[in-house]
């Protein structure tokens, strides 16, 4: 029997209005809170004593054929002759160093894998084969036995590349479409034609990769409820196993300059209305909401393998200069940038690196930050957070640790308590309105120290 929650801190009956679109929280702390690590700890020391029987493996490819106007990912446009080969050489060296650092004193097993970017399918079919070899032969990941997700763009989802991925065990292919309306794609600085998108989707289905995900964006200049509905219906025509609906953000140093008379408030209201339209449209077509962004078709092919990695607790190995790795005490990566010149310099430094045995850039994650991360990554999922699991891990109730924040969410109508399936415990779960405000709720849980580090970060 779960003990009742401690009394929550009082909050105003009418909570002040907050902007719904503040930040997409896909990891915590954000990389803008990372800093150079003066001690440059050895990886073998960082991973000694860590649980390594359900790790996540991520390989980052920082190349795209074009950079979308909204993109602030770590990626460069194109690659001079030989650069992708040198990058894979460095990735191979890094993989060898990391696998050695993981040691053999206990089981080392990867529960899932992903190739991201950038655009992994920027690589040729032969280079993708080498990428899979690095994951399997260097790291020991069994790609055919675990879920393997790969990101792609319409222009690079070619038959030969898809054949390699299908043969090597890819279970999920995520295609960045953003809009099926050519004028909206141009407005988002993503030059593509709907005919090319449809052709790419046909090739993906022919490759028989079990899970197709389609990414769409709402809030593009010129987008209307009618054009948004047309993109949703065009995506649904392919019966994708997953759909992601992303709000458009305009971030510093990206290529998109929003030429619009809308105020921020008007744009917030437009995006929120389009989000609700998209959510309701997908729910009416039988899709289940997994998070604010993610919708899954019931009965869709399940990922192969146990998929027993839990992002709240298990470690992650990131390979590549834009990837991050997680131990229980430290999150680490390489330097982060958005500006193209800075990105090129970081990639050049990475390809010239001989010794990958130390962590050079990151942030230590103490007890309070671990609690915040667990709460964030659990609450932002529609299924909610089992209170018993939180209590088992930390020895406290979440209302003890975050009384003001959780009481504020409840006062806004964003948070509720519900019974776990089977009625054996209590869930803290976002309401539909809470899910709609995930990009405000997530940042509200950032610690003061992380907020200060992010505010002090100078974009580059």
């Amino acid at each position: 029997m779960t003990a009742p929650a401690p009394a929550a801190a009082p909050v105003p009956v009418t909570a002040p209005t907050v902007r719904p679109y503040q930040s997409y929280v896909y990891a915590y702390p954000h990389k803008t809170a990372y800093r150079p690590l003066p001690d440059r700890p050895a990886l073998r020391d960082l991973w000694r004593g860590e649980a390594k029987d359900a790790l996540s493996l991520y390989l980052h490819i920082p190349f795209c054929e074009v950079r979308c106007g909204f993109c602030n990912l770590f990626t460069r446009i194109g690659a001079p002759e030989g650069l992708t080969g040198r990058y894979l050489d460095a990735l191979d060296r890094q993989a060898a160093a990391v696998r050695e650092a993981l040691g053999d004193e206990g089981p080392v097993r990867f529960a899932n894998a992903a190739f991201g970017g950038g655009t992994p399918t920027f690589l040729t079919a032969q280079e993708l084969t080498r990428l899979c070899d690095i994951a399997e032969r260097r790291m020991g990941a069994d790609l055919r036995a675990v879920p393997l997700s790969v990101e792609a763009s319409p222009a690079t989802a070619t038959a030969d590349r898809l054949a390699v991925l299908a043969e090597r065990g890819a279970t999920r292919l995520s295609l960045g479409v953003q809009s099926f309306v050519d004028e909206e794609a141009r407005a988002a600085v993503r030059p593509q034609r709907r005919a090319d998108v449809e052709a790419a989707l046909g090739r993906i289905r022919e490759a028989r990769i079990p899970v197709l995900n389609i990414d769409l964006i709402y809030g593009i200049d010129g987008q209307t409820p009618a054009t948004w509905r047309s993109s949703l219906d065009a995506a649904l025509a392919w019966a994708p196993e997953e759909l992601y609906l992303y709000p458009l953000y305009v971030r510093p140093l990206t290529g998109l300059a929003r030429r619009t008379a809308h105020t921020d408030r008007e744009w917030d209201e437009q995006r929120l209305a389009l989000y609700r339209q998209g959510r309701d449209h997908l729910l009416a077509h039988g899709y289940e909401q997994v998070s604010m962004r993610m919708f899954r078709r019931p009965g869709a092919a399940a990922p192969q393998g146990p998929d027993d990695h839990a992002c709240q607790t298990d470690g992650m190995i990131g390979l590549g200069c834009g990837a991050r790795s997680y131990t229980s005490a430290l999150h680490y990566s390489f330097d982060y940038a958005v500006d193209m010149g800075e990105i090129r310099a970081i990639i050049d430094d990475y390809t010239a690196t001989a010794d990958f045995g130390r962590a050079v850039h990151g942030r230590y994650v103490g007890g309070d930050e671990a609690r915040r991360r667990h709460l964030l990554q659990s609450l932002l999922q529609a299924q909610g957070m089992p209170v018993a699991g939180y209590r088992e891990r930390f020895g406290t109730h979440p209302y003890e640790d975050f009384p003001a924040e959780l009481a504020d969410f409840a006062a806004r109508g964003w948070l509720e308590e519900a019974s776990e399936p089977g009625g054996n415990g209590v869930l803290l779960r976002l309401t539909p309105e809470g899910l709609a405000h995930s990009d405000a709720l997530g940042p509200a849980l950032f610690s003061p120290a992380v907020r200060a580090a992010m505010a002090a970060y100078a974009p580059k």
Side-chain angles (χ1 to χ4, degrees), residues 37 64 77 79 132 168 173-174 219 246 258 276 306 316 337 341 360 382 449:
L37 297 168
C64 290
I77 301 170
C132 293
R168 298 302 289 263
L173 197 291
S174 180
Y246 288 97
R258 224 169 15 102
R276 288 173 171 145
M316 178 170 176
V360 298

Side-chain angles (χ1 to χ4, degrees), residues 127-142:
E127 289 170 333
L128 283 172
T129 296
R130 186 179 180 197
L131 185 69
C132 293
D133 287 344
I134 291 171
E136 291 186 334
R137 297 175 186 175
R138 287 293 192 194
M139 296 305 302
D142 188 350

Side-chain angles (χ1 to χ4, degrees), residues 56-59 94 98 316-320 323-326 334:
S56 183
L57 178 64
Y58 178 78
L59 278 67
Q94 185 188 7
V98 171
M316 178 170 176
I317 296 293
L319 302 178
R324 68 185 86 200
S325 299
Y326 305 144
F334 297 93

Side-chain angles (χ1 to χ4, degrees), residues 376-395:
L376 269 170
Q377 295 189 309
S378 302
L379 272 189
L380 294 182
Q381 300 298 308
Q383 65 187 12
M385 183 187 74
V387 171
Y390 183 97
R391 185 187 290 278
E392 181 180 357
R393 182 178 180 191
F394 299 111

Side-chain angles (χ1 to χ4, degrees), residues 369-451:
E369 299 292 16
R371 286 173 164 82
R372 291 178 184 275
R373 182 170 181 260
H374 186 107
L375 186 62
L376 269 170
Q377 295 189 309
S378 302
L379 272 189
L380 294 182
Q381 300 298 308
Q383 65 187 12
M385 183 187 74
V387 171
Y390 183 97
R391 185 187 290 278
E392 181 180 357
R393 182 178 180 191
F394 299 111
T396 54
H397 192 286
Y399 267 103
E400 294 177 53
D401 297 332
F402 306 102
E405 294 94 332
L406 295 180
D408 179 63
F409 299 159
R412 295 179 185 278
W414 294 355
L415 185 67
E416 64 183 5
E417 290 191 3
S419 297
E420 286 192 61
N424 296 321
V426 175
L427 290 169
L428 284 183
R429 186 174 66 191
L430 296 186
T431 64
E433 194 65 10
L435 283 170
H437 287 80
S438 292
D439 287 5
L441 186 148
L445 288 170
F446 291 2
S447 71
V450 165
R451 288 176 186 274

Side-chain angles (χ1 to χ4, degrees), residues 22-57:
Q22 297 181 25
S23 178
Y24 172 27
V25 183
Y26 58 90
Y28 180 79
H30 191 269
K31 286 178 74 172
T32 54
Y34 291 12
R35 294 295 184 270
L37 297 168
D39 52 342
R40 293 173 62 91
L43 298 188
R44 64 177 177 273
D45 294 332
L46 291 176
W47 285 98
R48 185 178 294 119
E50 295 282 320
K52 291 167 277 194
D53 58 344
L55 297 172
S56 183
L57 178 64

Side-chain angles (χ1 to χ4, degrees), residues 139-226:
M139 296 305 302
D142 188 350
L143 298 183
R144 294 179 180 86
V146 301
L148 169 60
S149 178
V150 184
E151 297 172 8
S153 67
T156 60
T158 58
D160 58 340
R161 293 175 170 103
L162 294 171
V164 169
L165 295 173
E167 193 278 326
R168 298 302 289 263
T171 56
R172 178 179 182 271
L173 197 291
S174 180
L175 192 72
V177 174
Q178 320 316 349
S179 176
F180 283 86
V181 179
D182 290 352
E183 293 79 9
E184 290 178 3
R186 287 195 295 270
V189 194
R190 184 180 179 85
Q192 65 186 22
R193 297 183 308 140
R194 176 170 176 172
D196 297 329
V197 172
E198 301 277 2
L201 288 165
R203 291 191 296 270
I204 294 167
R205 284 310 197 194
E206 290 171 3
R208 298 187 180 279
I209 294 172
V211 174
L212 164 64
N213 173 70
I214 296 177
D215 288 345
L216 297 176
I217 283 182
Y218 55 92
I220 301 170
D221 274 358
Q223 192 175 51
T224 68

